[in-house]
Amino acid sequence: DDGESQSGFHKSWTLLLVLFIVVPLFYVVWRVMQSTDPTLSSRDAEIVQAFRDRMKQLENTYQSQDPSLWKRTHLLLEKRLNNSRLHLEPAILLLTAGQEAEKALRCLSNEIADAFAFSQNAATIKIDGEDKAILDSDAVKLEVDNELS
């Protein structure tokens, strides 16, 4: 009798433990399925497509650029666009070039930023590091943080 009651006791606790794990798991899965909004995913697809269209125009305009620039830019920015969480921090790309290509780089970087912002109906800010090169690094960081805010 005592062995059977202990076995029943263990079975009851096992069943209770399984219920405590399975019920919340089903609830979480159900909530995720409920929150999946098909209009949101179509909006995300429109955003990515708008970005791709603008980037394709840029590739045609700046044909002399290395293909890896376009590949890396697409990968980085599309990954960010495809991420469903809300981004409160800025997207930052750091591009460099020699002095002879400074004007082209400035135009290209502005165009890429505008393409990314346009796809999300957002704004861009431009920070010229050359003007800040002679300033104190802490002051520059504070100034840049204020501009980004």
Side-chain angles (χ1 to χ4, degrees):
D1 249 359
D2 207 21
E4 286 181 25
S5 66
Q6 275 189 342
S7 175
F9 178 76
H10 288 296
K11 287 180 183 177
S12 297
W13 274 107
T14 304
L15 180 62
L16 192 59
L17 183 63
V18 168
L19 285 175
F20 277 130
I21 294 172
V22 171
V23 170
L25 183 65
F26 278 128
Y27 176 75
V28 168
V29 169
W30 179 76
R31 293 287 293 170
V32 167
M33 289 174 51
Q34 293 295 338
S35 68
T36 305
D37 185 3
T39 59
L40 183 62
S41 63
S42 68
R43 169 136 167 58
D44 290 344
E46 289 173 15
I47 288 171
V48 171
Q49 190 57 49
F51 174 71
R52 286 180 180 160
D53 292 343
R54 292 286 296 259
M55 288 300 290
K56 192 65 178 166
Q57 291 172 357
L58 288 177
E59 284 182 58
N60 292 334
T61 303
Y62 295 91
Q63 294 178 359
S64 64
Q65 295 301 314
D66 186 347
S68 67
L69 167 76
W70 301 115
K71 183 179 180 182
R72 289 179 181 176
T73 302
H74 276 280
L75 286 174
L76 177 73
L77 295 178
E78 282 188 31
K79 181 179 179 182
R80 186 177 171 103
L81 289 172
N82 285 325
N83 190 337
S84 61
R85 75 176 181 86
L86 179 64
H87 295 284
L88 300 177
E89 70 280 351
I92 298 174
L93 277 179
L94 182 61
L95 305 173
T96 61
Q99 284 185 324
E100 66 280 355
E102 183 182 340
K103 287 182 182 178
L105 179 65
R106 188 178 308 273
C107 290
L108 178 60
S109 62
N110 287 336
E111 294 280 352
I112 290 172
D114 290 341
F116 185 74
F118 173 80
S119 68
Q120 299 179 78
N121 197 22
T124 62
I125 64 169
K126 287 141 181 88
I127 300 172
D128 187 357
E130 186 177 1
D131 295 343
K132 298 176 183 357
I134 59 171
L135 302 174
D136 175 62
S137 63
D138 290 335
V140 170
K141 183 181 181 330
L142 182 61
E143 186 179 328
V144 169
D145 285 347
N146 287 337
E147 286 184 55
L148 292 174
S149 293

